[in-house]
Amino acid sequence: MKKNNLTYLESVHRDGKIWGIALCLIIFAFPVAISIVFGAVPEWEALAKGMFATVPMYWAVGIVEIFTYIPMLGAGGTYLSFVTGNISNLKLPCAVDAMERAGVKANDEEGEIISTISIAVSSIVTTIIILIGVVLIGVIAPVINHPVLTPAFDMILPALFGGLAVVFIAKNPKLSIAPIILMLILFIFVPALNAGTVGIMVPVGVLFTVAVARIMYKRGML
Amino acid sequence: MEFSVNHPIIFIMVGLIILTVLGQSVYFLVRALKRAKELGIKKEVINKTIGSSAVFTIAPAVSILVGVIALSKSLGIALPWLRLSIIGSITYETVAANNALTALGIPAGTQITDPDVFITVLWVMTVGIAAGLILVPFLTKKVQSGISKIGMKDKKWGEIFNNAMFLGMISAFLGYVFCDVTLVFKGDFSGLIPVFVMAVSAIAMAICGGLSTKFKIRWLTDYALPISLISGMASAIPLTNWLG
């Protein structure tokens, strides 16, 4: 059994690596192909400015995200999520909920499988919905851009995390107190923290909560 | 070749890339389903995972579509279709595109006609978020084997560690929900909208949990997250009219 387990996980890593490198090359080949087909050359000064405004922040966040999300997503889930994107607002909550309902943990093999299935299904459904939307853009755009519906889409994150919070706080009431208080204080009193910077605070929340959990566990409080 | 943001060639290239990425999802899905069978995970559990993940995805996917439409004003349809079907998130892609357009001195919402401008924006969007794409194939195995050692050494701590990670992530988003509440002191009540939306979603989740336990309605547990998500989103409409 143990040998089989090892084989599955190792093969996920092997295939994940091959797919990941191949897709990375394809994604980078796209701008190159556009340049060749249309004879386009980047405007170097604007490119440098645009890169400078984007790369340092998002690479820093990206690197921290890798270490934060891998333990939560599992191997298969990680290889899929970092290519298909929309991790914190879709893939991660989807996988977390699926693992919770199935009663499995991210760091055992059942969790690995449930997380992979959940994220793969979510990616496929997302691709199909966006495809339908793009094909029918003339019909769909006026409906989903209708001013009446705009607030609903603006509030997707509070609506998503309200439900998820109930499940996890109910499960770990003692452990929830410290991180929630910390985050409330930070977000209410630090003006720079908002929708654009919440991604940076996820790893902070995770590291802080794991540290608090470790202390409480060592003292026999959990 | 004469350039247009909606040139058929761009659509074909984008379509092929999305298809390949879809192939990766299908490949891993099939592998995981096979392994689930070998391990004897109940079919019921697998079907529920598939069903609830698919249903849950609908609302966030439609909100991603809203992002595609918003970006299509300046970038055409093909590029936002690619960028939001794969890799980035709405928040990132919008910021990256705007950073590039600002550097080029082009106001947001103006359709790009110059291929040099298009390629500049495309490179910024591609490289800006490439950290995960480049590093994940090389780091995942190392990070994951480190983590699974924690679970093996001490099972109870492994479980607490797992819950602590999820709680840490959730607490960051809970904090974010409250980021504009102090506006109330300036007479602006719009900062309370996300707080109330979150409360509605939380109450919907608690009701689903309560009902499914009391009346033993199993499907309610499986679809509790999409139900609470939709309830919260729907409540945002009257709440915004009231407080916005």
Side-chain angles (χ1 to χ4, degrees), chain A residues 123-134:
Chain A
S123 301
I124 295 168
V125 171
T126 307
T127 309
I128 294 170
I129 290 179
I130 297 179
L131 175 69
I132 296 171
V134 166

Side-chain angles (χ1 to χ4, degrees), chain A residues 23-36:
Chain A
L23 290 170
C24 182
L25 291 175
I26 292 172
I27 287 161
F28 272 90
F30 176 61
V32 177
I34 294 277
S35 272
I36 296 168

Side-chain angles (χ1 to χ4, degrees), chain B residues 45-106:
Chain B
V45 174
I46 301 297
N47 288 344
K48 276 180 185 167
T49 303
I50 295 174
S52 60
S53 300
V55 172
F56 167 73
T57 302
I58 296 171
V62 173
S63 85
I64 295 168
L65 189 56
V66 174
V68 175
I69 294 168
L71 282 174
S72 72
K73 282 168 198 146
S74 47
L75 306 178
I77 297 167
L79 181 57
W81 176 35
L82 173 71
R83 299 298 316 178
L84 287 169
S85 292
I86 62 168
I87 319 180
S89 62
I90 317 164
T91 36
Y92 163 75
E93 301 296 348
T94 314
V95 170
N98 284 338
N99 283 343
L101 290 170
T102 311
L104 288 155
I106 294 170

Side-chain angles (χ1 to χ4, degrees), chain A residues 182-183 186-187 193 197-206, chain B residues 168-169 172:
Chain A
L182 173 77
M183 286 298 157
L186 288 176
F187 274 91
L193 294 179
T197 44
V198 64
I200 307 167
M201 296 312 286
V202 171
V204 176
V206 170
Chain B
M169 171 192 67

Side-chain angles (χ1 to χ4, degrees), chain A residues 1 5 11 13 15 31 41 43 54 59 75 83 85-86 92 101 109 118 122 126 145 151 159 163 187 209 217 222, chain B residues 27 31 35 39 53 57 69 87-89 99 116 119-120 127 144 154 156-157 163 168-169 175 178 201 221 240:
Chain A
M1 194 70 197
N5 286 357
S11 70
H13 282 302
D15 298 348
V41 183
E43 298 194 7
T54 315
W59 272 68
V83 175
N86 288 295
L92 190 54
R101 303 266 164 250
E109 198 177 0
S118 162
S122 179
T126 307
N145 272 340
F187 274 91
T209 316
Y217 178 64
L222 290 174
Chain B
Y27 178 84
R31 291 284 316 273
R35 185 66 188 152
L39 286 179
S53 300
T57 302
I69 294 168
I87 319 180
S89 62
N99 283 343
D116 295 350
I119 200 76
T120 309
V127 176
Q144 218 214 7
D154 180 346
K156 196 183 173 206
W157 166 242
N163 283 330
M169 171 192 67
F178 287 84
S201 162
T221 321
T240 306

Side-chain angles (χ1 to χ4, degrees), chain B:
Chain B
M1 201 172 298
E2 184 142 355
F3 173 79
S4 147
V5 284
N6 290 321
H7 197 290
I9 280 200
I10 306 181
F11 273 97
I12 292 169
M13 285 196 255
V14 166
L16 287 175
I17 299 172
I18 291 174
L19 205 62
T20 318
V21 173
L22 199 61
Q24 185 202 24
S25 296
V26 173
Y27 178 84
F28 277 94
L29 177 61
V30 172
R31 291 284 316 273
L33 288 174
K34 266 191 194 160
R35 185 66 188 152
K37 215 171 173 184
E38 282 169 23
L39 286 179
I41 299 176
K42 279 187 194 148
K43 212 163 178 195
E44 198 191 343
V45 174
I46 301 297
N47 288 344
K48 276 180 185 167
T49 303
I50 295 174
S52 60
S53 300
V55 172
F56 167 73
T57 302
I58 296 171
V62 173
S63 85
I64 295 168
L65 189 56
V66 174
V68 175
I69 294 168
L71 282 174
S72 72
K73 282 168 198 146
S74 47
L75 306 178
I77 297 167
L79 181 57
W81 176 35
L82 173 71
R83 299 298 316 178
L84 287 169
S85 292
I86 62 168
I87 319 180
S89 62
I90 317 164
T91 36
Y92 163 75
E93 301 296 348
T94 314
V95 170
N98 284 338
N99 283 343
L101 290 170
T102 311
L104 288 155
I106 294 170
T110 315
Q111 181 115 73
I112 294 174
T113 50
D114 181 348
D116 295 350
V117 168
F118 187 76
I119 200 76
T120 309
V121 176
L122 176 53
W123 272 118
V124 172
M125 291 173 93
T126 307
V127 176
I129 199 141
L133 195 64
I134 296 170
L135 297 173
V136 155
F138 302 100
L139 288 177
T140 307
K141 197 175 174 183
K142 281 187 194 121
V143 176
Q144 218 214 7
S145 60
I147 295 295
S148 59
K149 270 180 205 145
I150 296 173
M152 270 190 264
K153 257 191 235 157
D154 180 346
K155 222 168 174 198
K156 196 183 173 206
W157 166 242
E159 195 165 338
I160 295 171
F161 178 85
N162 204 47
N163 283 330
M165 284 190 306
F166 294 144
L167 263 180
M169 171 192 67
I170 291 166
S171 66
F173 282 95
L174 288 189
Y176 147 72
V177 165
F178 287 84
C179 72
D180 287 329
V181 286
T182 47
L183 291 177
V184 169
F185 300 114
K186 293 174 187 157
D188 178 356
F189 292 92
S190 63
L192 293 175
I193 300 169
V195 178
F196 286 139
V197 168
M198 183 196 72
V200 170
S201 162
I203 292 165
M205 176 59 93
I207 292 173
C208 284
L211 285 179
S212 67
T213 318
K214 199 166 177 197
F215 300 106
K216 305 227 177 311
I217 317 171
R218 292 280 296 277
W219 64 266
L220 206 52
T221 321
D222 300 320
Y223 293 96
L225 192 64
I227 292 170
S228 70
L229 170 65
I230 300 290
S231 310
M233 286 173 74
S235 76
I237 297 169
L239 283 168
T240 306
N241 277 333
W242 178 39
L243 299 164

Side-chain angles (χ1 to χ4, degrees), chain A residues 164-178:
Chain A
L164 214 51
V166 169
V167 177
F168 279 88
I169 294 172
K171 209 176 148 194
N172 319 276
K174 275 192 274 179
L175 182 55
S176 320
I177 302 167

